Each structure stands twice: as structure tokens, then as C-alpha cells.
Amino acid sequence: MNFIKLNAIDSTNDFLKALASSQKVENFTVVTAKSQWKGKGQMGSEWQTEDNKNLITSILIKKTISNTESIFVLNIAIAISIIEALKTFKIPDLSIKWPNDIMSGNKKIAGILIENNIKESGKIQSIVGIGLNVNQLNFENLPKASSLKAITGVEYDTEEILFKIIDAIKLNVASIKSENAGILWKKYHDFLFKIGKPVVFENSKNEKFMGIIQKVNTNGLLDVMLEDDSIHSYGIKEISMIY
């Protein structure tokens, strides 16, 4: 495994993308940084992090998914891998908030951003960005955020956590390659935040409504049962969860 450690960078995802476009880069090449000032989250949001307190990493994954239908399955595999790795450190009440935020209780502790590059050959190369709050304790103006240390009171070795995550990713990615994605879907739904429970949602028109999460379908959309018992499918930009 090619492991690149940086002190400071604008974005580990951008660094790894540039590297992969300029030279041949080994599969599962990992880039980490102690600090990052242009971290990106879902839908263009900014990922804020204190220097040298958290896990900031990007991982190159190629030769795994070969069609756009498998892109969400990779999201699933990465989210499951983080959960499974964190379970070995006895982090409590772990779940995945659709599509791939990692939660402990009602607090977000990690985010995932996967950027896919479809080559002329049709092969897909993915840059998997992971931001995991590890030892940071100050989350001013971020009431829904927390960290492993804030939750357990324990100081963690971010590199040890990273290697556990990578080991889990390699195992779960193997399920995609061997076409055993059904195993990943089952695990994902087992870990899905608020599944089967009444939840308040807000749509793009700022209208609130009650619904019960049924599942995430194969297109990555959230299937929600509404109060009239009808089931509607929503994309990530269409609704948000109030919790």
C-alpha cells in the first residue's frame, strides 16, 4: 500500500486526483494530512477540522466498480467499513445517516465524499475522502457534530484507526468485485439511522412532513412512507432529516 503523509494541504481529495491524473498510482494509495483548509463534504459543504486532531484521508480505489449503477454500492461499502472499524474501538451507538454520514447517537462524527472519474475505457476510478472527528473537542456553531474523544473521553491514535478502516474497506470492496453486494446492502440497512421510526423531514420548499424510512433503493434514493401510507423516493437534494 502506498501511504503518503502530508503536514498541510488544501484538499487530500484534490491532491490524490492530481497525482492519479499525472502518473500511474497504485490501487488503495492513501493520502493523509494533519491539517486541511479546503475540505469538502456532500453537496459542496465545507468540512471543518482542527489541525492535528482528526483523521483526514483520501484513498484511491480502482478496478472495483465498472458501471454507474455500482457507484452507490461503493458508498455503502465505505460507510460500513468505517462503522466496522470503529466498533473495534468500542464507539457506542454507531449508525449511518443516509446517504453516508457516520453517527454516534444523534451526533455526526464522520463524513464521506467520493469523487468518481469515468475513463474513456468506461472504467471508473474513485477518490474516497473521509473526514473523521477523532480528538477534537471544540465544535462551536456545529451542534450536531462530535468526536470519538468527546463521546468516550479517550485519546485515540488516528493512524491506528485509519489502518483498521483500510482493512475493512479492502474486505468490503472485495464483496463488490465478487458480486456479493447483497451482503453490503443488508449491513447498510442494519446500520441505517432512524430506519422504521417516525421522523420529521423538510423538503426543498422548506415544508415539514412526517415519514417513516423504509429503505434506500438501488438508485441510492430514500424510500419514505408518508402519513397516507404512500411511499415516495427522494434524492439527497430533495429532503433533509430533522432530528
Side-chain angles (χ1 to χ4, degrees):
M1 181 182 73
N2 190 13
F3 187 27
I4 302 168
K5 297 168 73 171
L6 306 170
N7 281 325
I9 193 68
D10 54 351
S11 161
T12 55
N13 263 32
D14 289 348
F15 177 90
L16 189 50
K17 264 190 295 186
L19 190 69
S21 66
S22 64
Q23 63 188 70
K24 188 175 180 179
V25 178
E26 180 184 335
N27 198 12
F28 292 105
T29 289
V30 177
V31 176
T32 65
K34 292 181 178 179
S35 68
Q36 176 178 257
W37 61 87
K38 281 189 181 178
K40 293 176 287 185
Q42 289 284 353
M43 297 168 59
S45 64
E46 182 181 351
W47 182 267
Q48 300 177 13
T49 181
E50 283 185 16
D51 292 356
N52 209 23
K53 292 282 183 74
N54 302 317
L55 175 59
I56 304 163
T57 189
S58 296
I59 305 162
L60 176 71
I61 298 181
K62 55 185 180 179
K63 301 175 183 176
T64 297
I65 55 176
S66 56
N67 56 67
T68 54
E69 289 77 25
S70 299
I71 286 175
F72 193 76
V73 180
L74 181 60
N75 273 271
I76 287 173
I78 302 303
I80 290 167
S81 299
I82 296 172
I83 292 271
E84 291 177 337
L86 293 181
K87 277 180 172 289
T88 68
F89 294 94
K90 297 181 169 54
I91 308 303
D93 200 10
L94 292 164
S95 63
I96 303 167
K97 185 169 78 68
W98 172 79
N100 53 21
D101 285 343
I102 307 302
M103 310 288 289
S104 177
N106 280 341
K107 298 288 188 179
K108 178 178 174 179
I109 56 173
I112 301 165
L113 178 66
I114 301 179
E115 298 180 276
N116 298 290
N117 181 17
I118 302 174
K119 302 290 189 180
E120 288 182 9
S121 62
K123 293 181 179 178
I124 300 172
Q125 179 175 279
S126 303
I127 305 291
V128 176
I130 299 170
L132 171 65
N133 295 328
V134 180
N135 295 315
Q136 181 172 329
L137 294 176
N138 179 22
F139 293 96
E140 191 176 354
N141 301 320
L142 294 169
K144 292 182 179 178
S146 191
S147 70
L148 306 188
K149 184 176 180 179
I151 291 162
T152 67
V154 176
E155 185 93 8
Y156 293 91
D157 181 333
T158 56
E159 206 163 280
E160 182 184 2
I161 292 170
L162 172 62
F163 290 142
K164 288 279 189 185
I165 290 172
I166 293 167
D167 287 345
I169 287 173
K170 286 181 177 178
L171 285 173
N172 285 313
V173 160
S175 291
I176 300 175
K177 295 177 74 173
S178 62
E179 298 186 356
N180 285 328
I183 295 170
L184 299 177
W185 277 104
K186 183 182 184 308
K187 287 182 180 180
Y188 181 76
H189 283 103
D190 286 345
F191 291 135
L192 194 61
F193 184 66
K194 300 292 187 185
I195 189 168
K197 298 176 181 177
V199 179
V200 178
F201 293 94
E202 186 172 85
N203 63 24
S204 55
K205 298 177 182 177
N206 298 320
E207 298 167 335
K208 291 183 174 63
F209 62 94
M210 186 70 74
I212 298 176
I213 296 172
Q214 303 298 294
K215 64 182 175 68
V216 177
N217 65 39
T218 54
N219 295 316
L221 302 177
L222 190 69
D223 287 353
V224 178
M225 179 185 286
L226 304 182
E227 291 181 280
D228 63 359
D229 290 341
S230 64
I231 295 177
H232 286 236
S233 300
Y234 297 95
I236 188 172
K237 295 182 181 179
E238 294 178 314
I239 59 168
S240 59
M241 192 184 304
I242 310 297
Y243 62 95

